Structures are given as structure tokens and as C-alpha cells.
Amino acid sequence: QVQLQESGPGLVKPSQTLSLTCTVSSSSITTTYYYWSWVRQPPGKGMEWMGAIDDNGATYYNPSLKSRTSISRDTSNNQFSLQLTSVTPEDTAVYYCARARGTVGPPSSQYDYWGQGTQVTVSS
């Protein structure tokens, strides 16, 4: 059974950098065909795709967040990470990592495994 688990601070101060890691088990992040994504859901709003990294380490970003977002990976630990710089209270959300089959972009039926999500609050 594929499992994804987000980890990182639950509280970040404004203007600081939000950093999260997704640990994947039972599926290698270097396996061809899969894209490893970050998605967030602010309170009372829909899901927002932030970006993804593929099996070769190539990255893809939501244009609206690209200037502040960086996704990287640690293949030795089968993890991929998200960094979001210069956060504001509007970045408060539940952050999810997920696996998509053969496609990159917003959540769809091609997303087959999700982490449980982690709440991140931006507040001083």
C-alpha cells in the first residue's frame, strides 16, 4: 500500500519560509510515469495545485505561485519537499502531498494516493 506522509512546522511567521517534507513508502519517487505533487486547501476555499516533481527531478509550478515556490527531492530517503517563501496569512491552509499517474497539474482522477494533510498556519 502506497503511503505519503507530510511533516513540518504547523506555525510559520509572516515573511518567513514554509518548509514541508513528504515521505513516500511503497512507491519510489524515481519510478517513471508518476508525478509527485503539492496541493493546498485554504479554509473555506477549494484545492489549489502548487507544483510537482517528476521521476527525473524536473519541476513544474503553478504560475501564480512560481516566484515563491520550490520543490526538491531526496531520492536516498524517498522524500520530496516544498518551500514557500515570504508567506502571509493568506498562505494558511491544509497542505497535501499526492501522487499523480502520468499527468501534472491540478487534482484529477489521476491522483491516486494522498497524504493525510498537514495544517499550516501563518501568524505572528
Side-chain angles (χ1 to χ4, degrees), residues 4-6 10 12-13 15-16 20 35 37 40 42-43 50 54 58-59 63 65 69 78 81 85-86 91 103 117:
L4 294 87
Q5 179 66 58
E6 305 89 351
V12 182
K13 288 182 168 54
S15 80
Q16 293 189 341
L20 296 173
Y35 293 84
S37 295
R40 70 180 181 178
M50 302 184 70
D54 70 14
T59 52
L65 295 169
T69 307
N78 212 39
S81 298
T85 62
S86 305
D91 293 309
T103 186

Side-chain angles (χ1 to χ4, degrees), residues 7-113:
S7 60
L11 180 64
V12 182
K13 288 182 168 54
S15 80
Q16 293 189 341
T17 296
L18 180 161
S19 297
L20 296 173
T21 295
C22 182
T23 301
V24 181
S25 58
S26 301
S27 180
S28 172
I29 63 172
T30 61
T31 299
T32 302
Y33 185 64
Y34 296 118
Y35 293 84
W36 303 92
S37 295
W38 287 98
V39 178
R40 70 180 181 178
Q41 185 167 26
K45 297 184 179 181
M47 286 200 162
E48 179 180 35
W49 177 71
M50 302 184 70
I53 189 165
D54 70 14
D55 57 289
N56 290 315
T59 52
Y60 310 83
Y61 298 108
N62 183 330
S64 68
L65 295 169
K66 185 176 182 178
S67 64
R68 299 196 292 130
T69 307
S70 178
I71 297 174
S72 59
R73 66 179 185 171
D74 177 355
T75 57
S76 62
N77 288 307
N78 212 39
Q79 297 174 326
F80 63 106
S81 298
L82 170 74
Q83 287 198 318
L84 183 67
T85 62
S86 305
V87 298
T88 72
E90 285 66 43
D91 293 309
T92 294
V94 178
Y95 285 75
Y96 299 90
C97 57
R99 188 182 83 169
R101 299 170 299 178
T103 186
V104 61
S108 69
S109 60
Q110 299 306 310
Y111 278 61
D112 57 357
Y113 289 100

